[in-house]
Amino acid sequence: IRECGGLTYLINFLENINSNQSKNLKITVYINKSAALLIPKKKWLVIKTPRLFNLPLPIRFFYQQFFLSKKINKDNYHLLFSPGGTIPFFCKLPTVSISQNLLPFEFKEARLFGNFNKMFFKMLLLRFIQSISFKKASGVIFLSNYAMKIIKNSLHSKIVNKALIPHGVDSNFFHKPRPQKNIKEYGVKKPFKFIYTSTLMPYKHQVEVIKAIHNLRKKGYPINITLLGIPWRKYANKVFFLAEKVDPKKDFIKFIDYVPNKNLPLIYRKYDAAIFASSCENLPITLLENMASGLPIVSSKLGPMIEVLGKGGIYFDPYNIKSIENAIQKLILNSSNRFKLASLSYKMAKKYSWSKNSKNTLEFFKKIINEKS
């Protein structure tokens, strides 16, 4: 794990291990130098940064599979946890893996990158490696029931030791829903503002969202959208080209490429509602953060989104522009329903706790160690 959601997870898991849980506990983290700077400092935590962890993926993978696993086997550890989803093929210790990236197991979504794209072949490779890891692991952690079902069907074999342990939501995001105003109270100078936070990638469907927003603008609805996310190569260029075409004056489409996670709670409070249009997620952290922020939400109906958001949002087909358009229109035209949905999703977000995640993860580790000892 080097960046993005995987690193955020590792930081929060370690940060929320309390003093009682850390008694008689020692964790050694092998990680690259830049990511190590963000790992919390704890008395029971040892951080090691092998030089080879900073080199390209093939070298890192070879080192982890053969040299690092050999070293770990010699040291006095009770369990190896791989939060990146890939365990060494030759490891004498009990091992726990975790499924955090579902894209390798959903070919329809992976193909959106293009059948001959490097990213698609990367997903195929990850599918192969992670499938072996999940089969070999002493235990596997899943973040959602949806992900558990998809991977179970993909492996065609039973995972004996599995646990459903979803990620948490940072407490800084929680902000009670605001009273909602009638759409007639918004106008050109003060539009109804949507935010959509996600990397600009094909399976995130920013193109379809922009077209839906544009269509509603043509109908006279005073709405705009901010797309917050790091751009990904050709698809980002496609998104920017479309935005320039439909909004050359930059009146209703705005872009923010990066905001530190700690600043996101204040960013979200500047908006009236959130859109989440991804068609492939394991556990949508962005959606959870939108829920905790008290925002009314229109969301993709694919993946685990309905499992997470429940009755707290209005759903659409992210592949269908008209479906997105109808969902947004339904949300903005009913202010009382907006508040009702935001209140419900805010309440549901409170079920996702990092302290609960850390507690349940450590208990699962102990279960695996006891069974293997």
Side-chain angles (χ1 to χ4, degrees), residues 231-295:
W232 183 84
R233 302 176 193 173
K234 289 182 179 180
Y235 183 75
N237 293 334
K238 187 177 179 181
V239 172
F240 296 146
F241 178 81
L242 176 63
E244 182 66 29
K245 180 182 176 182
V246 301
D247 185 25
K249 295 182 180 179
K250 297 178 173 55
D251 290 330
F252 64 94
I253 303 171
K254 304 183 188 307
F255 292 95
I256 303 174
D257 63 359
Y258 174 73
V259 171
N261 195 262
K262 64 180 181 179
N263 296 342
L264 280 176
L266 292 177
I267 293 287
Y268 288 152
R269 290 168 200 174
K270 297 177 181 178
Y271 291 88
D272 300 296
I275 294 176
F276 191 72
S278 176
S279 55
C280 178
E281 297 292 327
N282 196 312
L283 179 71
I285 296 297
T286 295
L287 180 59
L288 284 171
E289 291 170 350
N290 291 157
M291 292 163 62
S293 299
L295 295 173

Side-chain angles (χ1 to χ4, degrees), residues 23-36:
K23 290 178 181 177
N24 302 316
L25 177 70
K26 180 182 178 183
I27 295 179
T28 301
V29 176
Y30 285 86
I31 198 163
N32 76 319
K33 282 187 177 180
S34 59

Side-chain angles (χ1 to χ4, degrees), residues 73 156 159 318 334 353 373:
N73 286 332
H156 303 294
I159 298 174
N334 192 331
S353 159
S373 61

Side-chain angles (χ1 to χ4, degrees), residues 112-119 199-203 206-207 230-243:
L112 292 174
F113 291 95
N115 287 340
F116 299 101
N117 186 277
K118 186 169 74 172
M119 179 64 87
T199 307
L200 272 60
M201 282 185 165
Y203 70 99
Q206 282 91 352
V207 165
I230 298 169
W232 183 84
R233 302 176 193 173
K234 289 182 179 180
Y235 183 75
N237 293 334
K238 187 177 179 181
V239 172
F240 296 146
F241 178 81
L242 176 63

Side-chain angles (χ1 to χ4, degrees), residues 4 47 53 55 88 120 126 165 186 203 220 227 231 253 255 260 293 342 345 367:
C4 299
I47 300 173
F53 270 31
L55 297 178
F120 178 65
L126 280 175
I165 308 176
Y186 295 90
Y203 70 99
L227 297 163
I253 303 171
F255 292 95
S293 299
S345 64
K367 175 180 179 287

Side-chain angles (χ1 to χ4, degrees), residues 1 34 37-38 42 52 55 63 113 124 132 184 206 208 218 314-315 321 332:
I1 282 182
S34 59
L37 297 174
L38 302 173
K42 305 284 186 178
L52 293 177
L55 297 178
Y63 173 71
F113 291 95
L124 288 178
I132 295 174
K184 293 179 180 178
Q206 282 91 352
E208 288 85 351
K218 288 193 291 185
I314 296 174
Y315 296 98
I321 297 163
I332 62 179

